[in-house]
Amino acid sequence: MLKKIFITTALLGCAASAFSASNRPDNYTTICKVGQTCTVSGPTNVAFGAAGQFVYKVLSGSFSCSVATFGSDPIPSKSVKECSIPKNGSGGGVSSSSSGGNNSSASTSSSGNTSSSGGGGITGATCTPNGSVTVSSTIRISSGTYDGGCKVFTATSALGDGSQKEGQKPVFIVEGGATLKNVILGSNAADGIHFYGSANIENIRWTNVGEDAMTVKESGTINIKNISAFEGSDKFFQVNAASTININNCVVDKMGKYLRQNGGTTFAVNVALSNCQISNMGEGIFRTDSSNSTARITNSRLRNAGDICIGKWKSCTSSGITNY
């Protein structure tokens, strides 16, 4: 009889554990539940939801775990939802059991603060999901501004499967000085965004980086600001042509490397990166084989980011860096 009770209890425990795990994405850990105020120490991709349905938002400091914070309810049928962060994220905890406001006395499990001299004011992308778009052929922006309205754009298999396979097609092409803004790339981002000549992007979030997040295909000046990207295993940014690249205000976590100039090439790439939070790079931040290229990173926060400069850079510098 005791044996039966023990086995039954164990099975119920496993079932409860499995149910609880479904209230947060894989490799995420719960920091608070709906109606509570919780805190993270720096810009963090926070998931909100239950039963395998989630919305995401990059948050910093104290916030209410609520529909109001995230802008939508991923599963209205479930009253109990959780706020969770990547297991290698910036840490967090519950600061209040009520649903009201921020709490300046909130505790945190990690040091570092975005108000410090290195990397102050880093937010990354700020879009809250506002509908969805399924993309089966590449969207080309050749002039003017394309405003995605903070919708989630998810590729179909016609563009690729979002893995690390080479030869996948981009969700967007931006060229001729055009601008792409207010876009969330969904769980299948295929080969992300391609640049042909000069281009601008603003307020873009990659939920799950596929082959690469961005690729320069033809020479130009690329201006990038207010972006966030997560869960890539190789390059975040691939550069295949001579270019000037300016990046400001980014949050990028879990890539093989941040930027890679095409291997074996000697054309000049000039990269300026500022006000960014970069974490968990498998190899490092900048990599090139070209002694004609330059890179610099300023006023940024790094954690487990590897080497800043890899390869034969003509010049590669850093200043105002905080390790957190």
Side-chain angles (χ1 to χ4, degrees), residues 138-147 171-181 193-201 218:
T138 299
I139 299 168
R140 184 181 291 266
I141 303 113
S142 299
S143 62
T145 298
Y146 183 101
D147 188 337
V171 178
F172 292 96
I173 288 175
V174 189
E175 60 187 358
T179 298
L180 171 67
K181 68 179 186 178
I193 300 171
H194 285 186
F195 302 117
Y196 285 80
S198 295
N200 311 284
I201 65 170
E218 292 182 359

Side-chain angles (χ1 to χ4, degrees), residues 67-305:
V67 172
T69 295
F70 289 84
S72 63
D73 191 336
I75 182 165
S77 62
K78 296 288 185 181
S79 60
V80 178
K81 301 176 181 70
E82 297 181 2
C83 286
S84 57
I85 64 174
K87 287 182 178 178
N88 56 8
S90 61
V94 178
S95 59
S96 171
S97 61
S98 69
S99 59
N102 293 346
N103 187 328
S104 61
S105 64
S107 63
T108 177
S109 63
S110 173
S111 62
N113 191 310
T114 55
S115 64
S116 64
S117 60
I122 299 167
T123 62
T126 58
C127 265
T128 296
N130 181 35
S132 60
V133 177
T134 299
V135 183
S136 56
S137 61
T138 299
I139 299 168
R140 184 181 291 266
I141 303 113
S142 299
S143 62
T145 298
Y146 183 101
D147 188 337
C150 290
K151 291 182 172 61
V152 180
F153 290 76
T154 303
T156 68
S157 58
L159 299 183
D161 60 7
S163 69
Q164 291 301 306
K165 293 178 182 175
E166 296 292 332
Q168 297 183 68
K169 298 176 182 178
V171 178
F172 292 96
I173 288 175
V174 189
E175 60 187 358
T179 298
L180 171 67
K181 68 179 186 178
N182 300 330
V183 163
I184 300 171
L185 288 156
S187 57
N188 180 3
D191 201 30
I193 300 171
H194 285 186
F195 302 117
Y196 285 80
S198 295
N200 311 284
I201 65 170
E202 177 181 353
N203 202 22
I204 311 293
R205 187 174 86 210
W206 289 260
T207 304
N208 189 341
V209 171
E211 183 182 343
D212 300 313
M214 300 179 285
T215 304
V216 174
K217 304 292 281 188
E218 292 182 359
S219 296
T221 297
I222 316 297
N223 297 309
I224 297 166
K225 64 181 179 179
N226 309 338
I227 62 169
S228 301
F230 307 92
E231 301 298 326
S233 58
D234 195 9
K235 307 170 296 295
F236 171 59
F237 200 161
Q238 172 74 24
V239 183
N240 292 341
S243 47
T244 297
I245 300 168
N246 303 305
I247 304 173
N248 183 57
N249 187 22
C250 70
V251 175
V252 177
D253 179 65
K254 204 173 181 182
M255 309 288 162
K257 58 189 73 67
Y258 188 96
L259 180 144
R260 173 68 158 118
Q261 180 170 338
N262 195 21
T265 60
T266 58
F267 54 76
V269 173
N270 299 295
V271 185
L273 185 67
S274 62
N275 298 311
C276 285
Q277 177 173 293
I278 301 173
S279 54
N280 301 306
M281 300 291 107
E283 183 178 6
I285 298 178
F286 302 127
R287 179 164 185 167
T288 189
D289 297 327
S290 173
S291 57
N292 297 308
S293 293
T294 67
R296 72 177 186 272
I297 178 171
T298 58
N299 301 325
S300 294
R301 290 160 43 89
L302 306 180
R303 185 175 67 185
N304 300 328

